[in-house]
Amino acid sequence: MARATAHPDHQCISSEDIHGTEVYEAGGKNIGEIDHLIIDKVSGRVAYAVMSFGGFVGLGHSHYPIPWGALTYDTSLGGFRTSITEQQLKDAPEFSDDSWQDRDWEARTHQYYGTPTYWDDARRGL
């Protein structure tokens, strides 16, 4: 069961409940699950969901940060839907632990996925 369905009548959700929630591409194919979230310390906005996919029995899976704005919760699936494909994840800008300190990497990532940056949304009050 997707943990994001733990409180289906609430608009807010705990990050604990998002961990393990399935992610589906537009056609309905399961492409992974949410491993954890990255939150902007200053604005408090969720910036990225780090997806996990591939591997077998928890081994050999890959982690890919995708912009939070690229996900939409779909109640009929009990998971998140995205227009991002599995191949796009594999071809995404290379990620390392230092990437979180590199605004250029973040800008390239948002441009690659075709999503507005979370820091521009914060400036506009969205």
Side-chain angles (χ1 to χ4, degrees):
M1 174 176 103
R3 293 186 54 128
T5 60
H7 304 286
D9 298 330
H10 296 141
Q11 289 297 312
C12 294
I13 188 167
S14 168
S15 61
E16 285 181 340
D17 293 333
I18 293 174
H19 177 82
T21 300
E22 302 293 331
V23 178
Y24 301 87
E25 61 183 28
K29 178 184 175 192
N30 181 311
I31 59 171
E33 65 181 40
I34 303 298
D35 186 73
H36 62 279
L37 303 177
I38 303 298
I39 300 167
D40 180 77
K41 290 189 287 187
V42 175
S43 71
R45 293 176 178 271
V46 174
Y48 301 94
V50 178
M51 277 189 49
S52 170
F53 77 92
F56 181 70
V57 191
L59 300 174
H61 60 270
S62 300
H63 289 95
Y64 292 88
I66 61 171
W68 181 247
L71 297 170
T72 303
Y73 190 74
D74 186 325
T75 56
S76 68
L77 290 173
F80 291 97
R81 189 178 291 272
T82 185
S83 62
I84 295 171
T85 66
E86 189 172 342
Q87 190 60 50
Q88 279 182 293
L89 289 172
K90 292 176 181 176
D91 295 339
E94 187 174 336
F95 173 76
S96 72
D97 286 340
D98 294 332
S99 296
W100 301 126
Q101 299 170 12
D102 182 355
R103 190 54 67 112
D104 289 336
W105 174 86
E106 289 188 276
R108 283 191 314 275
T109 298
H110 281 271
Q111 183 178 21
Y112 176 78
Y113 289 122
T115 59
T117 61
Y118 66 89
W119 58 89
D120 285 336
D121 285 349
R123 277 190 227 135
R124 292 192 310 255
L126 300 175

